[in-house]
Amino acid sequence: MISIKNKEFLFTPITDYIISAEKVAHVQVGNNAEHALLVLTKTGYSSIPVLDAQDKLKGLLSMRTVTDSILGLAHIEYERLPDLKVDEIMRTELHTIKSTDTLQKGLDLLIDHPFVCVIKEDGTFSGILTRRVMLKKFKKYIYNIE
């Protein structure tokens, strides 16, 4: 049984725990795979959001997605990178969360994902909620650290 205190914690809005869009590396749908690979390599992230010109979230792109797209039968076809567009290879099935959602929903989604994209009601990218931030919040709560 969940206590009232725990319910209050779980139903806290995630607003204060979002890493804002301005601080999150991303690529645009029209970028080529070469640019995306550079962004992924330079940032060290395994996956990044893909946005359109209106900052709407369109998908996720990962190192694996890029490398899978250039794997040939005999060798890796690096020469294809400039011609492949991000929107041709990105993953479009993704879990998102709204900035008005609760920590409980965030925890549920972060069990299987290192981060979840946060969107506004109109689909505009707001930022990300990371497993690291949630674990730090949870640790503070458990140990009553303020």
Side-chain angles (χ1 to χ4, degrees):
M1 184 162 232
I2 299 176
S3 72
I4 291 173
K5 183 180 175 191
N6 290 342
K7 281 185 182 179
E8 288 173 3
F9 172 73
L10 289 173
F11 293 126
T12 304
I14 62 164
T15 313
D16 294 340
Y17 311 108
I18 298 170
I19 298 171
S20 69
E22 297 81 34
K23 296 179 181 178
V24 177
H26 68 277
V27 291
Q28 300 287 317
V29 289
N31 292 143
N32 64 34
E34 184 174 39
H35 173 75
L37 186 59
L38 285 171
V39 172
L40 284 162
T41 303
K42 286 288 190 181
T43 62
Y45 298 140
S46 59
S47 182
I48 52 175
V50 178
L51 309 179
D52 68 11
Q54 291 76 39
D55 292 330
K56 301 262 199 263
L57 179 66
K58 295 299 177 183
L60 284 179
L61 193 71
S62 67
M63 275 291 212
R64 181 176 180 174
T65 313
V66 175
T67 53
D68 282 351
S69 70
I70 59 171
L71 286 178
L73 293 175
H75 68 284
I76 298 173
E77 301 170 352
Y78 293 105
E79 65 278 0
R80 294 186 59 216
L81 284 171
D83 299 323
L84 280 172
K85 297 295 180 207
V86 167
D87 57 337
E88 297 171 335
I89 60 174
M90 69 183 181
R91 200 178 81 221
T92 56
E93 293 178 21
L94 58 146
H95 297 281
T96 60
I97 191 168
K98 293 189 175 95
S99 53
T100 55
D101 284 331
T102 62
L103 287 178
Q104 181 175 11
K105 184 166 183 182
L107 282 170
D108 291 343
L109 290 171
L110 289 171
I111 288 171
D112 295 320
H113 308 283
F115 73 91
V116 179
C117 291
V118 182
I119 57 171
K120 296 177 184 169
E121 293 295 325
D122 66 354
T124 304
F125 181 66
S126 214
I128 59 173
L129 180 66
T130 66
R131 189 182 289 159
R132 182 177 190 275
V133 168
M134 288 297 288
L135 284 172
K136 285 174 70 175
K137 172 69 175 167
F138 194 61
K139 179 182 174 186
K140 280 184 179 182
Y141 176 76
I142 289 173
Y143 295 111
N144 283 325
I145 301 169
E146 289 301 324

